[in-house]
Amino acid sequence: MSIPLRMAGTVVGGALAVMLGGGFAQTAAVVPAPEAVPGNFVDVTARDGVDFHHQAPHSSRKYLLETMGSGVALFDYDNDGRLDLYLVNGAPFGDFVPKGTILQKTGPEYWNRLYHQKADGTFEDVTEKAGLAGVGYGMGAAVGDYDNDGYEDLYVTALGGNHLYHNNGDGTFTDVTAKAGVGGSGWSTSAAWVDLDGDGYLDLVVLRYIQWDWDDVWCGPRDNRGYCHPDVFKPISMLVYHNNGNGTFTEEAQQLGLDKPGKALGIAVADFDRDGHPDIFVANDSMVEFLFHNKGNGTFEEEGLESGVAVDGDGRTFAGMGVDFADYDNDGWPDLVVDDLANQKYALYRNGGDGSFSYDSYVTGVGGVTLLHSGWGIRFVDYDNDGWKDLLIAQAHDLDTIEKSFPDLHYREPPMLLRNLAGKKFVNVGPQSGDVFHQKWVGRGLAIGDIDNDGRVDAVITENGGPAHILMNRTQTANHWIGFKLVGHKSNRDGIGAVIRIETRKGSQWATVTTSSSFLSASDVRAHFGLGSDTSAKTVVIRWPSGIVQTLSDVAGGRYVRVEEPESAAGKSSHAAK
């Protein structure tokens, strides 16, 4: 976020089982469709019983916090096979806030909210029962099973202190922040769960934005105070918590080489050089972007400039906000996309497979179509199941007065849907993809996941100071799909960091298992693939975080498949399929 500077079936042995409960055997509606089919997303928020309004107080002091918004998580907290919804909320503050103030939620209107998805597809508010109303001015959410007990835990970032909620497995959560030692300090933004050292336990990476403590700084002309540019404030390093395996964590950013100060908003994880170790990309606001290469010896090295992802195609920094790290051209190497503010162009970096990336915003059309737009939450998502990862973006400017200075730019914007044409071009199909792409929102967080288990990936978008939006994917297509839910044993229980490759008659696709990416948000941990006209994957190869490589053959599509990690690379497993 920054202000423009004046312009500017079951397999024997238990390795594989099909998830049939909770509607998992459903298939999408099949109708003949042209090759270049637009999407069709429908806002079902009110119909499905979600009544949430993000609280974002505004003051005459123009505190940067007012512009930021908050995130959303899609995760199955009770293991009933249906995704549930967690929405992070703000807290009240006055026109002048003294330094050192820690904000508190003063009423239910400021609570974070947990919505449980019922069997009929509607949601019920279970916040009080679950114990997840939250504390302070919330920012982001990160989901992962940090103790490998089979239940997803929740980490919520905030201004002035973060909170870790342990999932008790009975529909309730316990705040274990103090015991775990992960409260942190300062202004935290996005966070990610990932096993950095391959010990089988998820570690926690927490971004922080700037060194800021309710700084009362006047920016803009004397008669028209405005929000300050991030350049006014100093950068700050992230926090990295090593999971000790006993419910406690140790902060080790400096020891790992991950303490480089930034102005961090978005985080994404993938193994960009395919050496078997997860790497970290950090989207920074109005300074160089960071790519931390995992050296495999317990330390990281920042290589953003060397790899070509630190700046844009003109060598300029930009307001990096949301990010995703996925292979959009199906060549086996994870690529990067980073969105930013209008007049900067969203950055698409293609992985060359040699440790370097090329700035492909121009050649793919992403630069031209996004020039006048401002993006926050962003994810690669194959909305039409054709086998190519498309782009869905939550959009809006950070300045509610931007039109006064730049009439061609807008504070409120519709979300954007860019269709991937065989990994070569992206075209904007939003205007033809449903009424939601004509609604102007103050978009911020975005999470993706198959909410109704029909094989079409859905999304949730949050607004700054506005409602949340559940966008159900109703795209009519003859294409098929397959999804995977990994269960680690030697690896972390979620299989986060695993790389899945599928082969069909048309070629291969790759996906990294993760809940992170986007902006302040956590998405469905299940890996989803569009199969196009194929009804099965000829081969599925899974490289687990443990290093074990597992191969499955002729896996039928149209379903979510549960895969248990074998005990060895030979695929022999004592773990029964469930």
Side-chain angles (χ1 to χ4, degrees), residues 1 189-190 207-209 238 262-269 280-292 309-310 318-325 336-340 347 349 375-376 378 517-519:
M1 189 279 304
T189 54
S190 297
L207 302 186
R208 293 189 289 184
Y209 184 35
M238 69 176 80
K263 299 179 181 180
L265 291 176
I267 184 171
V269 179
I280 300 170
F281 182 87
V282 174
N284 284 315
D285 186 358
S286 300
M287 60 174 286
V288 293
E289 314 299 298
F290 292 162
L291 178 59
F292 291 98
V309 298
F318 52 87
M321 297 188 291
V323 59
D324 202 6
F325 211 159
L336 278 162
V337 64
V338 191
D339 57 22
D340 47 32
Y349 300 99
W376 299 76
I378 186 170
S517 295
S518 192
F519 172 74

Side-chain angles (χ1 to χ4, degrees), residues 326-328 330 380-382 387-391 420 426 509-510:
D327 178 18
Y328 77 84
N330 291 345
F380 284 107
V381 52
D382 184 358
W388 297 97
K389 298 176 182 67
D390 313 295
L391 276 170
N420 183 346
F426 285 85
Q509 297 178 53
W510 285 258

